[in-house]
Amino acid sequence: MNSAYLELIRIRFLMMLAYRVNYYSGIIIYTINIGAYYFLWEAIFGDQKVLAGFTLAQMTTYVAVSWMARAFYFNNLDREIANEIRDGSVAVQFIRPYNYLFVKLMQGFGEGLFRLLLFMGPGLALVCLLFPVKLPTDLGTWSIYVVMLLFSFLINTQINMLVGLFAFFVENNEGMLRMKRVVVDLFSGVIVPVSFFPGWLAVTMKWLPFQAITYLPSSVFTGRTTGDDVLRVFGIQLIWFLVLIIPIAWIWRMARTRLFVQGG
């Protein structure tokens, strides 16, 4: 990898480090959020041992790891790209000797790396102390989950790029940015696992990329997906990563001919 791109990762990591107090408070907020979901699901399960293929222990672990994984893959690249398009600063990127979208990817990864080390790791440790979270003991499960978590970041970032690039075609895509965040959190399985969705909607979700962000990796982590199915769900992630490259490349190519600057 070009050393310039690696430097972008380092710079974004250090930038996030300068505001690390925000993320320490974020650990507390996420822990409270996970606690609220834990008590909610405990009440929903009641005397039932299994719901939609989940035991209460699996659901507790699913909620904890899903929210903490969100801390890693979450970023605001869609808003950054949209703002740079609106103020015209993206035009300068066209003449620079690097790929603008790859620069954004590296910046997002630098932010994600910071969140992984100083948010997700400590946060998950705290949650494990407070709630009955059962982490897998199999090294293979941890290994495949780390790889799938990386693809969660890539797929989520690709969706962010697509939404951000629509600022080339509309004067204000603020509504689209907000809608995207709600859709990703809901349909990826962070708020409610996909297996709890109504039959027709659950089938529809299998044809969309959102489940590849949270639901599939968390299902592997909690042991609901095992054996050959692990490779199958990882294959789904890989396919979506490759498929999403196509519309990004097409929109980027079309967008470069439509740049206009608002303001002075």
Side-chain angles (χ1 to χ4, degrees):
M1 183 184 298
N2 191 306
S3 59
Y5 290 120
L6 295 177
E7 183 67 11
L8 290 170
I9 296 175
R10 188 185 72 86
I11 291 174
R12 181 57 69 98
F13 185 95
L14 294 177
M15 184 183 300
M16 303 300 294
L17 192 61
Y19 302 98
R20 57 188 178 275
V21 174
N22 293 338
Y23 291 93
Y24 294 156
S25 61
I27 292 174
I28 304 300
I29 294 173
Y30 266 55
T31 301
I32 293 173
N33 205 7
I34 291 170
Y37 274 97
Y38 166 70
F39 292 117
L40 174 63
W41 283 110
E42 188 179 41
I44 292 174
F45 269 82
D47 295 330
Q48 300 184 70
K49 294 183 178 180
V50 180
L51 278 178
F54 281 88
T55 64
L56 180 57
Q58 287 177 328
M59 180 60 73
T60 303
T61 304
Y62 178 92
V63 168
V65 75
S66 294
W67 277 99
M68 285 303 167
R70 183 182 184 274
F72 168 66
Y73 67 68
F74 176 85
N75 58 63
N76 285 309
L77 292 183
D78 49 353
R79 192 172 300 277
E80 287 184 24
I81 293 172
N83 288 338
E84 290 177 3
I85 292 172
R86 281 198 293 267
D87 64 24
S89 59
V90 70
V92 180
Q93 310 297 332
F94 293 156
I95 61 176
R96 290 181 174 172
Y98 51 61
N99 184 293
Y100 172 72
L101 295 181
F102 201 65
V103 166
K104 288 302 176 186
L105 176 63
M106 293 299 100
Q107 290 176 337
F109 185 69
E111 179 178 340
L113 194 59
F114 172 86
R115 291 170 177 268
L116 176 66
L117 297 177
L118 296 180
F119 192 137
M120 182 180 176
L124 189 58
L126 178 61
V127 167
C128 288
L129 290 175
L130 298 176
F131 306 106
V133 176
K134 295 184 178 180
L135 301 180
T137 57
D138 179 46
L139 183 60
T141 300
W142 279 97
S143 299
I144 188 64
Y145 177 73
V146 169
V147 175
M148 294 186 74
L149 185 61
L150 175 61
F151 274 87
S152 296
F153 162 78
L154 292 172
I155 293 171
N156 182 68
T157 298
Q158 287 175 309
I159 293 173
N160 282 351
M161 287 180 176
L162 280 171
V163 175
L165 289 174
F166 269 100
F168 274 113
F169 304 94
V170 296
E171 292 187 5
N172 191 333
N173 66 340
E174 183 64 29
M176 187 180 298
L177 296 176
R178 294 180 181 180
M179 183 181 69
K180 184 274 307 177
R181 183 171 298 184
V182 173
V183 168
V184 169
D185 282 347
L186 179 61
F187 291 161
S188 69
V190 172
I191 298 176
V192 179
V194 175
S195 57
F196 280 83
F197 283 43
W200 64 270
L201 186 53
V203 172
T204 302
M205 296 311 301
K206 292 181 180 180
W207 294 95
L208 298 175
F210 305 112
Q211 65 167 346
I213 298 175
T214 299
Y215 180 70
L216 297 182
S218 296
S219 294
V220 171
F221 189 84
T222 57
R224 296 185 69 250
T225 301
T226 58
D228 293 339
D229 285 339
V230 173
L231 294 178
R232 179 182 62 81
V233 297
F234 174 65
I236 293 174
Q237 275 194 312
L238 182 59
I239 289 172
W240 275 116
F241 168 69
L242 296 174
V243 167
L244 287 171
I245 292 174
I246 299 172
I248 291 173
W250 181 75
I251 291 178
W252 176 243
R253 182 176 180 181
M254 294 292 295
R256 291 172 65 126
T257 66
R258 296 180 57 89
L259 177 64
F260 66 94
V261 179
Q262 299 181 41

